[in-house]
């Protein structure tokens, strides 16, 4: 979790290759993916999702990795999560979605990633590139 939070790509890869549990949570209910998203480490977000991190896990307050990225305005993290299929309509304990959070925090550039049609297109584009 600490390696992901601090943006240490090589250490994160090493730990993943050692078969660590990428979905393990800390006392606040946050996993490595959430911590990387909150800090804006899009490359680590991508690595963790590829390694099996569950994108739609929620913290004790109901926040997802996408919501945490939206809260801090980390556009690239939002783009990575949406293009990899993160659910955009999950609500936290305050009944807010990722879009609500981005809008409330005035992260207007993030709103384009939080549209259903954009999400569908991005997921399809990602699948075509993998082929």
């Amino acid at each position: 979790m600490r390696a992901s939070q601090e943006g240490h790509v090589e250490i994160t890869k090493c730990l993943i290759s050692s078969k660590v549990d990428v979905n393990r949570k800390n006392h606040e209910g946050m996993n490595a993916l959430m911590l990387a998203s909150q800090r804006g480490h899009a490359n680590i977000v991508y690595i963790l999702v590829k390694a099996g991190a569950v994108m739609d896990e929620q913290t004790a307050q109901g926040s997802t990795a996408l919501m945490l990225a939206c809260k801090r305005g980390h556009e690239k993290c939002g783009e990575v999560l949406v293009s990899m299929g993160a659910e955009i309509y999950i609500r936290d304990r305050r009944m807010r979605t990722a879009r609500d959070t981005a809008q409330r925090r005035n992260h207007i550039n993030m709103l384009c990633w939080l549209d259903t049609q954009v999400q569908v297109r991005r997921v399809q584009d990602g699948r075509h590139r993998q082929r």
Side-chain angles (χ1 to χ4, degrees):
M1 284 185 241
R2 181 48 93 48
S4 299
Q5 180 179 8
E6 300 300 328
H8 299 295
V9 174
E10 293 307 315
I11 295 171
T12 300
K13 286 180 180 180
C14 181
L15 290 167
I16 289 170
S17 69
S18 298
K19 307 291 186 213
V20 296
D21 179 5
V22 294
N23 291 304
R24 185 175 179 150
K25 292 184 174 186
N26 64 15
H27 65 282
E28 295 172 339
M30 295 181 74
N31 60 28
L33 179 63
M34 294 170 183
L35 293 167
S37 296
Q38 184 178 45
R39 291 283 187 96
H41 302 299
N43 50 351
I44 293 180
V45 167
Y46 179 81
I47 292 166
L48 289 168
V49 173
K50 285 298 222 178
V54 179
M55 289 184 282
D56 299 325
E57 285 285 321
Q58 292 179 277
T59 65
Q61 292 79 31
S63 296
T64 63
L66 181 58
M67 289 176 190
L68 293 167
C70 288
K71 184 176 185 179
R72 300 273 177 102
H74 298 304
E75 293 177 42
K76 189 64 178 168
C77 287
E79 177 185 355
V80 169
L81 289 163
V82 168
S83 67
M84 296 183 89
E87 175 58 55
I88 60 176
Y89 291 114
I90 292 177
R91 294 185 180 275
D92 63 14
R93 287 199 173 180
R94 294 180 179 174
M95 299 307 293
R96 294 182 183 145
T97 64
R99 181 179 191 79
D100 297 335
T101 300
Q103 197 163 20
R104 185 175 177 82
R105 296 286 178 120
N106 205 30
H107 298 303
I108 305 304
N109 293 335
M110 294 204 69
L111 298 179
C112 68
W113 299 112
L114 303 170
D115 177 83
T116 306
Q117 294 305 313
V118 171
Q119 182 183 33
V120 169
R121 258 193 327 270
R122 295 291 301 178
V123 170
Q124 289 172 341
D125 290 346
R127 288 184 183 151
H128 284 110
R129 277 188 297 243
Q130 289 177 356
R131 291 182 188 165

